[in-house]
Amino acid sequence: MCLTNEVGRLSEPVPDIERRPFGRSPQGKNRLIVGMLVACLVLGFGVLAEEVLEGDTTKFDLAIMSTLRGADQAYPIGPPWLQEAARDVTSIGSVVFLGFVLMAGVAYLLLVHKRALAIWMAVAVAGGELLGTILKLSFNRPRPEIPHVTRVFTASFPSGHAMLSAITFLTVGALLSHANQDFRLKVYFMALAVFLTLAVGVSRVYLAVHYPTDVLAGWCIGSGWAILCWMVALWFQEWPERRLKT
């Protein structure tokens, strides 16, 4: 009788989460989707870079930039207050301002006892700054010949303001949203990060310090870097739990 019961129990299906194919779990699906998104962003940057090097984007760039210029090519369209506002907006994508944002984000995470996230935020943003510098030196694209009212010191492709604002704002926004349980705060942080990133990029084209393709490339590589760093942060956070389960 006991032997019959044991055989019956052995014949019952045993749930085994480890037998599920890779990517079938919710976490696996999310990683796959995010991985594909990062790959698409990097591919988009590569396509833009190739087209820029071959000169195939010249007409597109000049058409948009000429539309944003008035009768006097030295000034963009719109009233003087709009031009001044654009200079104010573009300044929030500078290394100095983004450095302040980074320090504020790190300080906040330290105050809420998220030391590991604070360190990773600093590493991610600093790594993005290094990546942007390497890319600028590699492509060495000249700035637009259209007169502009702001001073520039580096090459044009990709846009450093667009790239660094995407890296900094999206990384800080993602990590701050992760540190909060309130869904409204999560949405607020990410929406604000996206809005600031877009605003900085548009201001660079409006002020004629960058071609539109410079900004698009900066958004692609900056967003890809930010998302990749975010996924690495989640992976490290889940690592102790996975070790306990094994």
Side-chain angles (χ1 to χ4, degrees), residues 25-49:
S25 65
Q27 294 83 358
K29 288 182 179 180
N30 291 337
R31 292 191 185 97
L32 180 61
I33 293 173
V34 172
M36 292 176 63
L37 177 58
V38 173
C40 289
L41 290 170
V42 174
L43 179 62
F45 173 81
V47 171
L48 282 171

Side-chain angles (χ1 to χ4, degrees), residues 52-226:
V52 166
L53 290 175
E54 294 177 354
D56 295 335
T57 63
T58 303
K59 290 184 178 180
F60 169 77
D61 286 328
L62 294 181
I64 293 180
M65 299 190 74
S66 62
T67 303
L68 296 176
R69 296 278 114 175
D72 186 354
Q73 291 292 301
Y75 298 97
I77 58 176
W81 65 263
L82 181 59
Q83 300 166 20
E84 189 66 23
R87 283 193 291 268
D88 292 338
V89 171
T90 205
S91 66
I92 69 175
S94 65
V95 175
V96 174
F97 183 84
L98 293 178
F100 289 148
V101 172
L102 174 61
M103 288 188 292
V106 168
Y108 171 78
L109 291 174
L110 291 176
L111 288 173
V112 296
H113 307 293
K114 301 284 185 178
R115 183 170 176 270
L117 281 178
I119 295 174
W120 181 243
M121 179 188 292
V123 171
V125 175
E129 167 69 19
L130 178 61
L131 176 62
T133 301
I134 294 174
L135 290 174
K136 277 183 172 290
L137 293 174
S138 300
F139 291 99
N140 198 29
R141 187 186 193 185
R143 294 276 180 167
E145 297 181 358
I146 300 176
H148 44 262
V149 294
T150 58
R151 299 184 65 182
V152 292
F153 305 96
T154 58
S156 189
F157 185 90
S159 168
H161 278 64
M163 178 179 175
L164 290 180
S165 61
I167 291 173
T168 305
F169 290 137
L170 295 181
T171 299
V172 172
L175 293 179
L176 290 180
S177 65
H178 182 68
N180 286 273
Q181 300 301 320
D182 192 330
F183 179 75
R184 294 173 300 174
L185 287 178
K186 292 178 181 290
V187 173
Y188 171 75
F189 282 132
M190 290 310 303
L192 182 60
V194 172
F195 172 77
L196 292 175
T197 300
L198 294 177
V200 170
V202 171
S203 71
R204 301 304 282 174
V205 178
Y206 177 77
L207 294 173
V209 290
H210 275 294
Y211 295 107
T213 47
D214 297 338
V215 172
L216 290 175
W219 282 339
C220 284
I221 197 67
S223 300
W225 179 265

